[in-house]
Amino acid sequence: MTQNNGRDAAPTIADVAKLAGVSRAVASRALSNEPRPVSADKRERVVEAAARLGYKPNLLAQSLTTKTVNLVAVVVNHIHDLSDLDLFDRLLDQIQSIGKQVIMIRIGSVARVEEFLRNGVAYHVDAALVFSDFADAATVRRMFRSDLVVMLNGLHDDLSPVVIPDEGSGIGEAVADAARKGVRQAGLVTGRSSSPMEQARIGFYRQAFAENGIELVRTVQGDYSYESGHAAAKELTGADCPDAIFCTSDAMAMGILDVCRADFPGNRPARFRLYGFDNLSLTDFDAYPISSIGYDKGVYVEQMVDFIANPGDFRPGQPPVIVPTTYFPRLTS
């Protein structure tokens, strides 16, 4: 091992190669994600030598050689919805399982996207997952200098993979359940108006109400948060309360339930029925047994991560990957 002013320097890849009895190139490939093969015997010797020497690979130097940085950008509006907790923990786990790490980028407006571009604040990443309403695929490709951009915000792009839930199926099931139980008038608490997916979701509700003979008597704008549901309860549950209230997030439905606990003795509806959206893990708890619409988050995450792990499988113009939703009845309906 090389010396520096009488003190041991950090071990290098050359030290590892010498101890393992292989070339520097072989040692480097054995300790990286390079696709060129290394025999099992040589890899074992290199790994053992690195462990004995306490060698730590230089990830930046590897990225210059392999042209990858093993980083995935996750672009969001913000993280405050309870549904984010259910989704992002699972997503981080799956991305790390394929040997990559995540950087979270919060973009709450179009102006923020433009600021990133104007100031040259960009990261080089291998891929980007776009949840934010305010970023289109072409802009994200420029922001992160990567062609692999997976769109999850309802904005389609022929050059990028798209993964979206089929929300119409689950919404149709929930509204039909309400109609069977005698609901004739409904209120709807909605989320961000900027979201293409939210606008499509509202369209599915309106279509299902019409098909099932339910009149939509009132719509209240929320933002998916518990607080906005709490506020909406005061507007919807007066003397002319509808037969059912549908919320486009479970968090908003939770806010309504807490305001109106007296209307749900034993968590069962006495004055109006309550439906959420997201099928949060919290709705399985006794405190919030809210009937909800949701999809298998494991399948959703697997689909998006598969595009990152196997980028060559995508073909331009490929149709979106659709994840089905279903209705989960609980006490509040």
Side-chain angles (χ1 to χ4, degrees):
M1 193 181 304
T2 58
Q3 300 290 316
N4 182 18
N5 296 328
R7 298 174 62 186
D8 287 344
T12 66
I13 191 68
D15 297 324
V16 173
K18 182 177 179 180
L19 183 59
V22 299
S23 69
R24 287 182 58 174
V26 168
S28 178
R29 293 204 304 274
L31 294 173
S32 72
N33 293 321
E34 258 192 272
R36 286 181 292 172
V38 174
S39 70
D41 173 63
K42 288 181 179 178
R43 185 180 300 278
E44 184 177 348
R45 282 156 45 197
V46 169
V47 170
E48 181 180 349
R52 285 179 58 188
L53 294 172
Y55 172 74
K56 305 293 184 184
N58 184 326
L59 298 181
L60 178 59
Q62 283 187 9
S63 74
L64 295 174
T65 302
T66 64
K67 309 301 183 187
T68 63
V69 292
N70 288 325
L71 284 177
V72 176
V74 176
V75 186
V76 300
N77 289 332
H78 43 62
I79 298 178
H80 77 171
D81 298 319
L82 294 174
S83 60
D84 295 334
L85 302 180
D86 278 359
L87 177 63
F88 287 125
D89 182 68
R90 192 186 303 262
L91 177 60
L92 292 174
D93 176 66
Q94 288 299 307
I95 290 175
Q96 290 175 348
S97 76
I98 62 171
K100 298 183 183 296
Q101 296 296 331
V102 168
I103 58 171
M104 302 289 291
I105 306 294
R106 182 181 183 275
I107 297 177
S109 68
V110 173
R112 183 66 172 151
V113 176
E114 293 173 349
E115 180 185 337
F116 266 74
L117 293 173
R118 184 172 60 252
N119 295 334
V121 182
Y123 300 87
H124 178 66
V125 298
D126 297 335
L129 302 176
V130 184
F131 293 90
S132 172
D133 306 333
F134 303 107
D136 60 80
T139 299
V140 174
R141 284 193 287 269
R142 282 191 294 147
M143 282 176 64
F144 298 108
R145 304 164 191 168
S146 173
D147 289 333
L148 182 51
V149 173
V150 184
M151 299 301 289
L152 306 157
N153 60 4
L155 296 175
H156 291 218
D157 183 280
D158 285 343
L159 299 180
S160 294
V162 176
V163 183
I164 52 174
D166 170 21
E167 299 185 348
S169 56
I171 289 170
E173 291 177 41
V175 174
D177 173 79
R180 286 192 298 269
K181 292 173 177 174
V183 170
R184 292 295 173 262
Q185 292 186 327
L188 181 64
V189 184
T190 65
R192 288 188 304 273
S193 60
S194 63
S195 167
M197 291 187 66
E198 177 69 2
Q199 295 310 307
R201 188 177 298 173
I202 293 169
F204 287 130
Y205 276 107
R206 291 183 180 277
Q207 178 182 343
F209 291 148
E211 290 175 350
N212 287 275
I214 295 176
E215 180 187 6
L216 177 58
V217 295
R218 198 168 307 139
T219 300
V220 176
Q221 176 82 51
D223 62 6
Y224 304 126
S225 69
Y226 173 93
E227 291 79 8
S228 67
H230 204 275
K234 299 171 185 177
E235 297 186 49
L236 287 168
T237 60
D240 57 347
C241 178
D243 304 324
I245 296 174
F246 291 82
C247 301
T248 62
S249 80
D250 284 337
M252 294 191 295
M254 290 163 62
I256 290 175
L257 180 59
D258 278 345
V259 170
C260 303
R261 287 286 180 181
D263 295 315
F264 289 86
N267 282 324
R268 296 183 180 278
R271 193 159 67 102
F272 65 92
R273 300 182 184 278
L274 182 61
Y275 298 81
F277 194 103
D278 285 326
N279 196 39
L280 292 181
S281 56
L282 285 173
T283 57
D284 288 328
F285 295 174
D286 291 343
Y288 295 104
I290 296 169
S291 294
S292 188
I293 299 147
Y295 49 86
D296 187 323
K297 293 180 178 66
V299 172
Y300 183 51
V301 167
E302 285 172 11
Q303 294 289 353
M304 65 179 82
V305 173
D306 185 61
F307 281 118
I308 299 171
N310 303 290
D313 291 351
F314 173 73
R315 296 292 178 268
Q318 182 175 316
V321 173
I322 306 297
V323 178
T325 61
T326 190
Y327 169 56
F328 297 86
R330 296 187 179 88
L331 295 178
T332 59
S333 65

